[in-house]
């Protein structure tokens, strides 16, 4: 009985403490909570430990969030709409900045807090909303083209830069070898948005607020032809019809099993492809995505930024920690230990980073031409508009012209809100 | 003599009220309150992200619902899923229950293996099916190719086939539930009824038709009711297998999108209220059709 009541009492005390937000204990130590997805390499935890050792008055805790991006998003929305103050820093997917900034959930970053010149342009753009910086770029991601260097070499072909060279390689190499030409992510989910935008951009199109307002007819034509192009990939057998059910892992598995010539995916595939269990280890290359003749290819940018909660009661301490965790040294360590692609340019010339990740120099080339997905507080709706219409057009449920028209009208309405 | 009896009874019932009070309060807090606030929210414009734009909406959310093509399409897809999957589940569940009821020895291992799919968490079962149905690395295609039934892999989760594949996974998952309920019903029918029927010269078919089925009706009604309500709110299997692509989105998935992805509490609540009313009326209708009453059997 006595034991039970102690437990109950402790529980009550703890929940009162939780409700009242006891973040500064009686010991005068300021407690900071940093919420982010798991880091299996342990580099983040090690950095936090180091930070705590150097700052006796502050104790930072790493709050591990669900690995699934959407689940993480929904959890944050729930916390922040309830004005939860116990979490001080949040790691945010690049597509959430506008949404969280507009809601007033994240604090603007003081000007001069970091040197903008030091960061890659894509991630830097992703932390801005209406001219204000709301977060600091943490690590990055971008769509890249993986190819089978052994097969291209044997055929004496260069790495294709344009879609026409690309198609040629598929017919002359993949078909005779009895493997698939090109695998991408065509399931109805966020990845399809990235794949679609890359095709659209690589053919000179775009769906920014300005294009949609100033030349909507052109936008419809561009979107329609991008959809038709993707459809053609399937109809001509370059991609199997099943790409329309693939996400990252299904497509990655086919590639590392040696059944594919070209794969569009994110940088994470590299280390799996070079692993000894992969049947293509040693014969994989990375290149920027192909584009139409006379155009430039762009990769969709992914990755994560860190922002400070507007409800945090420890703004100063949180800022100080933010400077540390997004600093050069932290990004270096996470690149070496965990393979997280740094957002600071200088890291890509660091000999220690390159010794562990020799492929970073090829990724650096890809990162020169990246673009962000539409930056709007209504991003989830914008994403669903693209997913829905593109997927239905690709599966033949919608005519591609009709799909393009609804994308352009609905996106224009969202982006002008 | 009756004085102390009534007094005691009154005391008992007062005690019962006190004993029930905590759980009633609990139900009110976790059950009634959210449902009521959902009703209230459905008459407002309220997006969690844009709380400054909050306001009274009157019937606007419901008017929008009436003209929402996605809602209508998802409604019919949900009906299709419910009718087909529950139909198969009842048929197979009844067959399984009748078979299990006849097994004498070794019933335990057989029952266990029948119940197994039901014991799996739905998300686990759905993930397993997504591996089975995968066109390149899936078990189903590799078996069919080896048997010579098909030459090229079938894209089971692609257009045209996706809903059928989802129904297959759901039938596999929930037939055991129906089987268990109906087996319980079969066990409750006394042997004497069959003995009497046999003495009257009733064949096995007639015994099934005139003894088993009428007595099993309340159990079928329960299974049907539970399954219909559940099927109409289907979310997890579809979420894992297709995410709602290629004409497989159901009302629950659409509601999830609006409530959580868009954090549009106003419109999402209106949809929830609509779904609640649909399921409620459907259940009433089913109960009426199945004529589940307290009257004793004639």
């Amino acid at each position: 009985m006595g034991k039970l009541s102690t437990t109950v009492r402790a529980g009550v005390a703890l929940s009162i403490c939780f409700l009242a937000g006891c973040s500064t204990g009686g010991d005068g130590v300021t407690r900071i909570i940093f919420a982010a997805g798991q880091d299996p390499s342990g580099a983040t935890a090690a950095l936090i430990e180091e930070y705590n050792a150097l700052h006796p008055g502050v104790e930072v805790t790493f709050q591990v969030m669900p690995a699934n991006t959407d689940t993480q998003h929904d959890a944050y929305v729930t916390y922040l709409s309830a004005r939860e103050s116990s979490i001080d820093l949040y790691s945010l997917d690049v597509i959430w900045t506008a949404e969280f900034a507009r809601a007033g959930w994240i604090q603007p970053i003081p000007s001069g807090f970091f040197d903008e010149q030091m960061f890659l342009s894509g991630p830097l753009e992703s932390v801005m909303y209406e001219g204000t910086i709301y977060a600091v770029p943490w690590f990055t991601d971008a769509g890249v083209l993986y190819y089978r260097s052994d097969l291209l070499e044997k055929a004496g072909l260069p790495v294709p830069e344009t879609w026409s060279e690309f198609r040629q390689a598929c017919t002359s190499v993949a078909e005779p070898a009895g493997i698939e030409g090109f695998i991408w992510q065509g399931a109805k989910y966020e990845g399809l948005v990235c794949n679609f935008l890359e095709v659209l951009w690589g053919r000179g199109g775009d769906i920014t607020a300005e294009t949609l307002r100033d030349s909507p007819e052109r936008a419809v034509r561009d979107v329609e032809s991008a959809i038709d192009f993707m459809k053609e990939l399937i109809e001509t057998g370059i991609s199997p019809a099943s790409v329309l059910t693939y996400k990252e892992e299904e497509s990655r598995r086919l590639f590392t099993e040696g059944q594919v010539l070209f794969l569009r995916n994110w940088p994470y595939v590299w280390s799996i492809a070079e692993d000894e269990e992969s049947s293509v280890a040693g014969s994989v290359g990375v290149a920027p995505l192909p584009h139409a003749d006379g155009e430039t290819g762009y990769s969709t940018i992914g990755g994560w930024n860190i922002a400070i909660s507007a409800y945090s009661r420890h703004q100063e301490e949180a800022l100080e920690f933010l400077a540390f965790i997004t600093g050069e040294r932290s990004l270096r360590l996470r690149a070496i230990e965990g393979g997280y692609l740094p957002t600071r340019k200088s890291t890509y010339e660091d000999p220690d980073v390159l010794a562990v990740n020799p492929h970073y120099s090829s990724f650096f080339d890809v990162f020169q031409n990246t673009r962000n997905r539409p930056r709007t507080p209504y991003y989830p709706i914008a994403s669903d508009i693209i997913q829905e219409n593109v997927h239905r057009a690709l599966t033949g449920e919608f005519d591609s012209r009709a799909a393009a028209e609804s994308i352009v009208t609905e996106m224009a309405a969202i982006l002008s809100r | 003599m009756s004085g102390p009896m009534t007094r005691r009874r009154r005391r008992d019932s007062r005690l019962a009220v006190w004993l029930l009070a905590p759980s009633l309060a609990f139900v009110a807090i976790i059950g009634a309150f959210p449902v009521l606030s959902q009703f209230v929210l459905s008459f407002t414009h309220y997006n969690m992200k844009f709380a400054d734009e909050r306001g009274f909406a009157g019937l606007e959310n419901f008017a929008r619902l009436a003209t929402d093509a996605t809602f209508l399409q998802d409604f019919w897809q949900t009906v299709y899923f419910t009718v087909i999957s529950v139909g198969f589940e009842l048929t197979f569940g009844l067959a399984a229950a009748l078979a299990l009821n006849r097994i004498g020895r070794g019933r335990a291992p057989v029952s266990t293996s029948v119940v197994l799919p039901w014991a799996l968490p739905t998300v686990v079962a759905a993930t397993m099916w997504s591996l089975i149905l995968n066109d390149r690395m899936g078990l189903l295609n590799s078996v069919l190719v080896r048997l010579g039934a098909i030459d090229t892999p079938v894209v089971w989760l692609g257009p045209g086939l996706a809903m059928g594949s989802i129904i297959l996974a759901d039938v596999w998952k929930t037939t055991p539930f129906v089987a268990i309920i109906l087996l319980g019903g079969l066990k409750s029918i006394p042997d004497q009824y069959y003995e009497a029927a046999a003495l009257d010269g009733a064949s096995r078919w007639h015994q099934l038709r005139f003894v088993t089925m009428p007595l099993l009706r309340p159990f079928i009604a329960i299974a049907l009711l539970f399954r219909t309500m559940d099927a109409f709110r289907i979310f997890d299997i579809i979420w894992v297998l297709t995410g709602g692509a290629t004409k497989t989105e159901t009302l629950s998935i659409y509601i999830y999108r609006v409530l959580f992805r868009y954090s549009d509490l106003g419109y999402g609540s209106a949809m929830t209220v609509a779904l609640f009313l649909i399921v409620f009326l459907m259940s009433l209708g089913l109960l009426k059709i199945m004529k589940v009453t307290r009257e004793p059997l004639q």
Side-chain angles (χ1 to χ4, degrees):
Chain A
M1 244 350 235
K3 200 174 172 188
L4 180 78
S5 63
T6 320
T7 321
V8 169
R9 234 178 292 153
V12 170
L14 201 70
S15 36
I16 289 173
C17 186
F18 180 72
L19 290 170
C22 298
S23 38
T24 306
D27 46 5
V29 173
T30 308
R31 297 204 160 75
I32 299 278
I33 296 183
F34 168 43
Q38 209 186 351
D39 172 0
S41 75
T44 311
L47 283 166
I48 290 173
E49 210 170 291
E50 187 189 312
Y51 185 82
N52 286 338
L54 288 170
H55 300 76
V58 179
E59 194 189 321
V60 181
T61 315
F62 185 21
Q63 164 101 47
V64 176
M65 297 303 295
N68 181 299
T69 309
D70 286 333
T71 319
Q72 211 174 107
H73 173 263
D74 298 345
Y76 289 172
V77 168
T78 316
Y79 297 164
L80 288 162
S81 59
R83 299 166 177 266
E84 171 61 54
S85 65
S86 67
I87 296 173
D88 303 280
L89 298 111
Y90 289 93
S91 80
L92 305 179
D93 192 311
V94 290
I95 51 182
W96 302 343
T97 313
E99 187 183 352
F100 282 54
R102 165 66 182 78
W105 290 339
I106 50 178
Q107 203 71 355
I109 301 292
S111 60
F113 179 72
F114 61 84
D115 183 359
E116 296 172 25
Q117 301 295 318
M118 304 298 284
F119 287 87
L120 294 166
S121 60
L124 186 65
E125 187 192 40
S126 78
V127 298
M128 315 266 285
Y129 175 62
E130 293 189 336
T132 308
I133 292 177
Y134 280 92
V136 182
W138 192 23
F139 61 100
T140 192
D141 231 351
V144 294
L145 183 74
Y146 291 91
Y147 58 89
R148 288 282 300 278
S149 50
D150 54 336
L151 296 179
L152 287 185
E153 245 161 62
K154 210 164 69 185
L157 286 172
V159 182
E161 283 176 22
T162 64
W163 282 118
S164 35
E165 292 167 5
F166 181 86
R167 278 200 238 195
Q168 221 168 354
C170 287
T171 31
S172 62
V173 178
E175 265 181 36
I179 59 173
E180 300 295 349
F182 181 35
I183 299 278
W184 36 286
Q185 294 83 44
K188 184 184 157 285
Y189 81 120
E190 188 59 38
L192 177 62
V193 178
C194 303
N195 281 258
F196 164 74
L197 288 174
E198 284 163 352
V199 170
L200 179 71
W201 292 332
R203 302 164 58 81
D206 204 351
I207 42 171
T208 59
E210 295 76 49
T211 354
L212 295 177
R213 191 186 53 225
D214 301 337
S215 43
E217 291 90 12
R218 205 198 128 194
V220 171
R221 266 202 318 275
D222 288 346
V223 170
E224 185 191 358
S225 92
I227 294 175
D228 282 339
F229 176 83
M230 293 169 93
K231 242 171 136 167
E232 239 178 73
L233 288 175
I234 298 169
E235 280 160 7
T236 52
I238 287 177
S239 302
S242 51
V243 285
L244 299 180
T245 63
Y246 289 168
K247 297 186 182 181
E248 281 86 3
E249 272 301 271
E250 288 92 345
S251 57
R252 190 277 301 163
R253 235 175 280 150
L254 278 183
F255 184 76
T256 50
E257 279 179 8
Q259 299 183 41
V260 185
L261 179 61
F262 294 112
L263 167 76
R264 181 266 174 219
N265 212 318
W266 306 94
Y268 85 96
V269 168
W270 179 266
S271 51
I272 306 176
E274 286 298 306
D275 191 83
E276 40 187 64
E277 273 179 38
S278 153
S279 42
V280 294
S283 34
V284 178
V286 185
L289 295 165
H291 50 82
D293 294 304
E295 299 289 346
T296 313
Y298 293 95
S299 297
T300 309
I301 201 156
W304 295 75
N305 305 318
I306 304 178
I308 294 177
S309 163
Y311 305 113
S312 162
R313 296 209 188 90
H314 311 288
Q315 299 285 339
E316 257 172 60
E317 291 90 342
L319 261 179
E320 204 184 328
F321 173 69
L322 181 58
F324 168 81
I325 200 76
T326 57
E328 171 111 39
R329 227 178 62 76
S330 300
L331 297 191
R332 262 189 72 220
L333 186 76
R334 276 176 46 96
I336 292 169
E337 304 277 321
Y340 293 97
L341 286 156
T343 43
R344 285 175 182 271
K345 294 181 204 160
S346 58
T347 332
Y348 290 85
E349 287 158 10
D350 187 296
D352 295 341
V353 171
L354 287 175
V356 185
N357 304 298
H359 54 290
Y360 271 23
S361 47
S362 349
F363 285 135
F364 190 69
D365 296 339
V366 175
F367 294 155
Q368 297 315 304
N369 285 313
T370 54
R371 279 192 183 168
N372 276 285
R373 283 161 273 176
R375 288 179 300 134
T376 154
Y378 300 91
Y379 184 75
I381 304 182
S383 167
D384 279 6
I385 292 171
I386 299 177
Q387 287 179 34
E388 197 91 359
N389 285 294
V390 172
H391 198 264
R392 287 188 178 189
L394 292 179
T395 54
E397 196 185 325
F398 282 176
D399 163 74
S400 47
R401 176 86 196 173
E405 275 164 4
S406 23
I407 288 176
V408 168
T409 6
E410 290 171 36
M411 284 296 287
I414 288 292
L415 293 177
S416 62
R417 257 208 235 180
Chain B
M1 280 305 274
S2 70
M5 274 304 278
T6 24
R7 214 179 302 144
R8 180 191 284 176
R9 204 173 292 157
R10 210 177 295 147
R11 210 169 50 212
D12 279 358
S13 68
R14 211 180 305 144
L15 177 68
V17 168
W18 279 110
L19 288 175
L20 282 175
S23 40
L24 285 178
F26 190 66
V27 168
I29 292 168
I30 66 156
F33 174 70
V35 172
L36 283 177
S37 59
Q38 195 100 63
F39 269 91
V40 173
L41 278 172
S42 68
F43 295 101
T44 62
H45 289 303
Y46 180 26
N47 189 318
M48 287 200 283
K49 273 177 266 178
F50 314 109
D52 46 338
E53 292 166 6
R54 192 173 179 176
F56 182 67
L59 291 170
E60 276 172 42
N61 287 329
F62 292 96
R64 183 176 156 198
L65 202 58
T67 56
D68 186 337
T70 310
F71 189 81
L72 197 70
Q73 186 186 348
D74 289 358
F75 171 77
W76 287 115
Q77 280 161 195
T78 312
V79 169
Y80 179 84
F81 169 82
T82 305
V83 171
I84 308 274
S85 62
V86 174
F88 276 116
E89 281 153 23
L90 276 185
T91 317
F92 294 152
L94 181 62
L98 289 170
L100 281 175
N101 196 33
R102 295 193 59 83
I103 296 176
R105 227 178 305 158
R107 186 187 296 146
V110 178
S111 315
T112 312
S113 61
V114 169
V115 172
L116 205 63
W118 178 247
L120 279 179
T122 313
V123 174
V124 175
T127 310
M128 190 189 83
W129 274 98
S130 83
L131 295 175
I132 293 174
L133 296 170
N134 183 295
D135 65 304
R136 294 305 156 110
M137 286 150 290
L139 181 71
L140 188 56
N141 274 341
S142 90
V143 168
L144 289 179
V145 167
R146 220 162 286 168
L147 289 177
I150 51 171
D151 323 317
T152 47
V154 177
V155 186
W156 295 104
L157 296 172
L161 292 173
M163 189 55 110
S165 306
I166 287 169
I167 289 173
L168 173 71
D170 192 66
V171 168
W172 177 85
K173 174 81 176 67
T174 34
T175 296
F177 172 77
V178 177
I180 293 165
I181 289 192
L182 298 187
L183 183 61
L186 289 174
K187 290 266 169 269
S188 73
I189 303 174
D191 285 341
Q192 292 94 310
Y193 289 13
Y194 292 107
E195 285 158 17
L199 279 179
D200 288 342
S203 66
R204 284 237 174 268
W205 166 248
H206 280 110
Q207 287 180 23
L208 178 70
R209 173 77 185 73
F210 296 106
V211 179
T212 313
M213 289 313 280
L215 289 168
L216 205 54
R217 201 176 60 198
F219 296 90
I220 294 178
I222 290 174
L224 182 63
L225 190 69
F226 271 82
R227 279 311 306 143
T228 309
M229 284 167 66
D230 264 358
F232 212 81
R233 296 174 311 199
I234 183 82
F235 180 85
D236 28 21
I237 288 189
I238 300 184
W239 187 249
V240 173
L241 288 183
T242 63
T246 58
K247 299 190 183 173
T248 60
E249 184 169 90
T250 53
L251 289 179
S252 293
I253 292 184
Y254 187 33
I255 290 175
Y256 166 81
R257 270 167 55 197
V258 173
L259 272 180
F260 290 92
R261 268 175 71 73
Y262 310 164
S263 48
D264 190 343
L265 289 187
Y267 189 45
S269 298
M271 291 166 68
T272 317
V273 167
L275 179 65
F276 171 75
L277 289 177
I278 293 168
V279 172
F280 183 69
L281 291 176
M282 218 168 50
S283 309
L284 282 187
L286 276 180
L287 285 176
K288 212 170 168 70
I289 294 168
M290 296 303 293
K291 295 194 192 83
V292 183
T293 56
R294 285 160 153 264
E295 284 163 41
L297 241 108
Q298 308 290 312

